Amino acid sequence: MKDVAARAGVGLKTVSRVVNEEAGVTPDTVARVQAAIEALGFRRNDSARLLRTRRTSSIGLVLEDLADPFYAPLSRAVEDVARAHGALLFTGSSAEDPRREQELVLAFCARRVDGLIVVPASDDHRYLSPEIEAGVATVFVDRPAGRLDADVVLTDNAGGVRDGVAHLIAHGHRRIGFIGDQPGIHTAAERLRGYREAMAAANLPVSNAWYAMGPTTPERVRASIDAMLSGPEPVTALLAGNNRVTVTAVRVLSGLTRPVALVGFDDFELADLLSPPVTVVAQDAPGLGRTAAQLLFRRLDGMASDAPTRTELPARLIPRGSGEIPPAS
Amino acid sequence: MKDVAARAGVGLKTVSRVVNEEAGVTPDTVARVQAAIEALGFRRNDSARLLRTRRTSSIGLVLEDLADPFYAPLSRAVEDVARAHGALLFTGSSAEDPRREQELVLAFCARRVDGLIVVPASDDHRYLSPEIEAGVATVFVDRPAGRLDADVVLTDNAGGVRDGVAHLIAHGHRRIGFIGDQPGIHTAAERLRGYREAMAAANLPVSNAWYAMGPTTPERVRASIDAMLSGPEPVTALLAGNNRVTVTAVRVLSGLTRPVALVGFDDFELADLLSPPVTVVAQDAPGLGRTAAQLLFRRLDGMASDAPTRTELPARLIPRGSGEIPPAS
DNA sequence: CCTGATCCTGACAACGTTGTCCATGTCTTG
DNA sequence: CAAGACATGGACAACGTTGTCAGGATCAGG
């Protein structure tokens, strides 16, 4: 910038003014400066600029896995909102590891992002308090923050599962299985709650053998399904607690001769082309991202100190067939 | 940092030393400084640090769409490599719009990222020359740079399609259709080339009605397929030029009574569970990302000035059944 | 021709770090 | 005990930008 000033024969500040398109510079001078900028291939150093202005125009997004088909559209929605507000996006995957989440969050804070959107992997976010007090707007999405009062945008997980289970009950099922993610994960616990509530609402007992929580590896899911289908009171229908469980469930069930009804949580591409087409409870992944990002920017634009809010987006049952299979007699 | 120094009763530089874990500070002093840091909730401002050191430890990734099932794993792979090198990742989607690509790239450069990984949306990257000369390592991935000699990591698109078409020919097909993306997109052009080459290698003529290039909207793809199947010389097999085309093709073909063989480009989840299971030519998306990122960091770690390289990763045919459907007589 | 208002422009400090260099104090060695 | 080596700490400038403020033209009105 110094070089540009020298070449254009003007002061440093005048160059700054031109670069920022501030008013109050003679067109003639502007032209001279522009020419110098062009000639020298000058590009403003935003790092320095942001050091001075104390706004980085960037936000950090921490989620579980950028490559997960559920989170990818969420990120994209966040990105779109960020772009509309002229902000760039740092992304990072926590891989469900609390330490990695914290590392990422703190690294983003050290870069002085204006705000954070976090899909929590840990259940204790008190480490974030100093940052939030220091002015980093923070919105949690998909799962609430642990031990911290902060904005959160969620799907109505329990409600979604209730609808799914009610759908199965409506088609005659009484022994319904639920296969969820690790019980420590908030969404997994909520979905289990929805399952219990729906069963209770229909006055159906729930055997301990009918629900299983744990890692969503194909092996574990397969084992859980096998167990549920082979016990003394085998289930006639399954509710798969998330997209990865659903995929494995579809695979396992397709290998059986006995038909088993299935409702999956989270929609997925081509679900309608499988046989039978897979009924799902769909979350609005882009909606979660968009809502969270919009809230974040509203915080940045002034409503910084209002009380934290909690937004819940509905889940939507999409009947396609696999939930309408009648119970095997 | 000033505050920390004051509270610990040491000089500014000593705090800096402690924060950076530099040698030459008494353990006693270190403890005092640590305590002050703790008490004040101090966190080093990386923006300032990086202004001084001229390394931002961050890289920028520009791709077409973060939410695309092909690019999501690619980003994740890039992220993993970046993390291993202690760098953070800026991401941005160009939405196939050259202007947006340029905006993102230049915004990243203004932030002084150490390096860039770009999936080109434009065919002219000369705007990047000054940046590259200024020291921004740049690797193009999935498609080569336009009018710029730079590192690039590609899939062997033509080879992959050749294998796919050969597979169809081996199963008796003679009239094979190809549905590709916009012809201006390098990968689309390469795949078309592979199609032509494979047909030529088998001494098969190619009718103009057998290949169609254009946007990958369901409407356009559907129309193209309809046309290919209804002309005077209807095709008996289709090669879908990318994942979105495949999805629509599966959908369209499943609605037909006449069986049509299909090979898709890009693998997708549950392809094996459709009926018939979908044969694909799979790209190694994580491999592309990993290779590009590793190359980028090798550039950053010294091999800055070596000649640009071109790496081509093989595509792999995964026969699942849909490619083995014999031609309808 | 003078005065004050208006408009441009540039000098300077500051943002929060780190690199350089020097001062001080302590230890080792002849 | 003197002198050099070494360990430790701090002052200062610099990174590249912007905010503040004051100085100098220019212009209109009296």
Side-chain angles (χ1 to χ4, degrees), chain A residues 76 83, chain B residues 61-65 71 92-105 117-128 138-147 152 154 181-187 244:
Chain A
R76 179 60 201 275
R83 170 199 307 278
Chain B
L61 171 64
V62 180
L63 33 69
E64 197 230 310
D65 181 359
Y71 291 113
S93 304
S94 68
E96 212 66 86
D97 174 350
R99 233 186 40 224
R100 242 168 100 162
E101 175 206 288
Q102 182 170 348
E103 278 172 24
L104 279 167
V105 165
I117 295 183
V118 181
V119 175
S122 95
D123 54 2
D124 186 352
H125 294 89
R126 281 174 299 178
Y127 69 88
L128 256 168
T138 305
V139 176
F140 291 83
V141 66
D142 190 44
R143 311 170 189 168
R147 297 154 163 266
V152 55
L154 303 169
D181 207 335
Q182 317 255 26
I185 299 178
H186 176 262
T187 50
R244 277 159 302 185

Side-chain angles (χ1 to χ4, degrees), chain A residues 43 46 56-57 65 76 79 83 89-91 93 100 110-112 131 250-251 268 270 272-273, chain B residues 43 46 56-57 65 76 79 83 89-91 93 100 110-112 131 250-251 268 270 272-273:
Chain A
R43 193 100 53 201
D46 273 343
T56 60
S57 296
D65 182 0
R76 179 60 201 275
E79 188 203 323
R83 170 199 307 278
L89 185 65
F90 277 113
T91 48
S93 304
R100 244 169 98 161
R111 292 295 212 289
R112 294 297 189 269
E131 313 296 339
V250 167
R251 208 157 255 144
F268 58 96
L270 297 177
D272 57 321
L273 287 185
Chain B
R43 193 100 50 202
D46 273 344
T56 59
S57 295
D65 181 359
R76 179 61 200 276
E79 188 204 323
R83 171 200 305 278
L89 185 64
F90 276 113
T91 47
S93 304
R100 242 168 100 162
R111 292 296 213 287
R112 294 297 190 268
E131 312 296 340
V250 167
R251 207 157 255 142
F268 58 98
L270 296 177
D272 57 322
L273 288 184

Side-chain angles (χ1 to χ4, degrees), chain B residues 240-265:
Chain B
N242 73 21
N243 56 353
R244 277 159 302 185
V245 173
T246 308
V247 167
T248 303
V250 167
R251 207 157 255 142
V252 172
L253 297 187
S254 75
L256 301 179
T257 48
R258 168 169 38 143
V260 174
L262 175 69
V263 171
F265 204 99

Side-chain angles (χ1 to χ4, degrees), chain A residues 212-236:
Chain A
M213 310 290 283
T216 57
T217 57
E219 299 75 31
R220 204 278 302 185
V221 171
R222 181 177 291 272
S224 296
I225 295 178
D226 287 347
M228 287 181 194
L229 290 176
S230 61
E233 296 181 302
V235 301
T236 60

